[in-house]
Amino acid sequence: MMGMQSKSNVGYDAIVVGSGASGGWACKRLAEAGLKVALLEAGKPQSDANFTEHKPAFELKYRNRATELLRKTRPVQSVFDVCNEYTQDWFVNDLEEPYTTPKDQPFLWMGRVRMTGGRTNVWGRVSLRFSDWDLKAASHDGFGEDWPLSYKDLEPYYDLVEKYVGITGMAEGLEHLPDGQFQPPMPMTCQEILVRNRVKEKFGRTVTLARSANMTKPQNGRGPCHYCGPCERGCVTHSYFNSAFTTVADALRTGNCTLISNAMVHKVLMDETTKRAKGVLYVDRNTRETREVHARVVILCSQTQESTRILLNSGTSESAGGLANSSGALGHYLTAHVRSGGANGDMPAFDASPTMGGATKPVGIYVARFRNLKGQAPAKDFLRGFGYEGGSSVDFRWGAPGFGEAYKKALREPRVDFDLTGFGEVLPRMENRVEIDSEKKDIFGIPVLKIYMKDSDNERAMIKDMGDSAGEMLEAAGAKNIRTYAHPSAPRWALHEAGTARMGADPKKSVLNQFQQTHDVKNLFVMDASGFSSNPCQNPTLTIMTLCVRSCDYLMGEMKRGEI
Ligand SMILES: Cc1cc2nc3c(=O)[nH]c(=O)nc-3n(C[C@H](O)[C@H](O)[C@H](O)COP(=O)(O)OP(=O)(O)OC[C@H]3O[C@@H](n4cnc5c(N)ncnc54)[C@H](O)[C@@H]3O)c2cc1C
Ligand code: SF4
């Protein structure tokens, strides 16, 4: 897949900024319908040649152990181990593309991938639907705003996206975690089945296979998963979902989509006479030249904070607080899951035995939300809810005592760990926000973001419950040596940021309408998670993609009618 540099001001039907989960779908949907699309991506082109999922660490220069070296250029990105010696070049250099925070509100903005495919290159792939219990949460508990759409509006688009993406999963019939279009489920381990059964018996809670964008059947030229394990290093059989080899590849195949790689978009350009967006200004990562691209419609899909940064940097004399910000909501209501409560413990091994480099199931389990649901007494300390990701893993007893024969024998005794990590909803609060830091620019000369994010009592109480509840479930399943934890979530990190250009029915309180069109500028859309009116505890990406396809269909209808 090659990047293309365009020197001239080509007129396109649409500009899509960012080629990740949302941008991939936007360019696929529009290009397949015959629109001429310019896809501007700040990162490099991605290709199978970069994938290293089958490469052992001993073939690397530093055996994947030189963490200090990694930290020199990627002190933030490398905190999460998907940024490692194999993949470091896919991520931003934190020194070249910094952001700031107040001293007392540390925030780890990780997962800033600069490759075609964005974060979908390295994501965890858990793919869960939202329900009306999430979308209308404000009506249930009085906090915040309802989404300006309901589950019925999303359902057909969830179906469409899931069928294409390829999601392994099990139907459970839960109203608050709707079933989807699943490929056959990957097997659960004996320990996972034991936890599923015991937790259901004792608490009535649902432990299911994590619904995950890993295929178990071939489709569209992609092969089923062969259980090699490290999906975050790529996949030559294209068995997990990565925009680079799915949606973006489809869009390019139409001949209607031009990928402009290494294009760091600085701002949206406005036509001051018509008050419409006319294109974008970008900086070429390699030459540092600035260039313009023009189109009938501009669609930002650069990930929540990045799209908001572009809007904030696009202020005009009439919109000094940022473009499309007549409501004043732009940059505010930043949400990101809390995930610092959970537990792990030791489970019986049954017939599991550790191997070096053996088959590895890339999908664990998911515990569906069980707090503050319909018909339940509300939790006394907090609103909304949380789910857990987790599963069992078998390993050698590396810390086994002894020497010689005795040590070798003890080492080979399997040790089965069961882990539950909570993912909790964070309430959308005005004071959690991003703004432009007027003191600092990145190496392209573009002003950077300052991120303000801290826990409230709601998050603190929820994190405590995450730890306690994980412990009680593992205990019910017979785990030993249970270790629960419930830390404050500073520094905050989540990889699931949302909400800084939120959707809403009222243009005075929101930036986007239900089709992710800015209230202020008709031909400007933001189709990533910036538009989320709240950030339910289920992982966001399936809903990001679903909303994006729905919004593209609306956009094309408006174009046909001559409204845009
Ligand atoms: C390690 C990890 C695990 C995750 N696990 C899960 C999970 O299990 N389930 C789940 O639902 N979600 C998960 N996520 C989150 C998921 O990856 C994101 O929600 C999703 O990819 C966001 O889609 P997006 O289109 O908004 O942005 P991205 O996929 O990040 O794509 C944005 C693209 O825009 C480009 N870009 C940014 N700024 C500019 C600019 N100024 N000009 C041009 N291009 C720009 C970037 O280079 C990038 O390629 C995970 C993320 C990470 C990092
Ligand atoms: S575990 Fe499966 S999806 Fe992941 S890289 Fe290996 S084959 Fe691909």
Side-chain angles (χ1 to χ4, degrees), residues 18 20-22 41-42 113 118-119 124-126 263 265 303 495 528 539 541:
S22 54
E41 166 52 56
V113 174
R119 285 180 166 184
R125 309 166 305 283
V126 175
V265 170
Q303 187 269 329
L495 310 163
D528 52 36
N539 310 44
T541 309

Side-chain angles (χ1 to χ4, degrees), residues 413-489:
E413 286 284 308
R415 179 177 175 276
V416 177
D417 181 71
F418 205 103
D419 179 70
L420 290 174
T421 302
F423 281 70
E425 174 164 357
V426 168
L427 298 173
R429 293 179 185 280
M430 175 104 179
E431 64 269 25
N432 286 334
R433 67 186 198 282
V434 299
E435 64 180 27
I436 296 300
D437 185 334
S438 53
E439 311 276 294
K440 203 160 190 144
K441 291 183 175 162
D442 64 15
I443 49 154
F444 310 111
I446 304 174
V448 307
L449 282 185
K450 184 162 189 171
I451 302 177
Y452 298 79
M453 178 69 144
K454 63 177 175 197
D455 286 349
S456 70
D457 288 344
N458 206 71
E459 286 85 52
R460 282 186 279 271
M462 185 184 280
I463 291 166
K464 178 171 182 321
D465 191 17
M466 282 175 177
D468 294 346
S469 300
E472 71 185 15
M473 288 191 282
L474 289 184
E475 195 178 350
K480 300 279 181 275
N481 302 321
I482 297 168
R483 300 160 293 270
T484 63
Y485 58 91
H487 309 300
S489 65

Side-chain angles (χ1 to χ4, degrees), residues 225-258:
C225 174
H226 54 268
Y227 298 84
C228 67
C231 310
E232 69 282 356
R233 294 182 349 218
C235 180
V236 287
T237 49
H238 298 177
S239 310
Y240 79 97
F241 178 83
N242 176 338
S243 310
F245 49 66
T246 55
T247 46
V248 174
D250 281 1
L252 295 177
R253 255 193 300 274
T254 64
N256 291 327
C257 178
T258 305

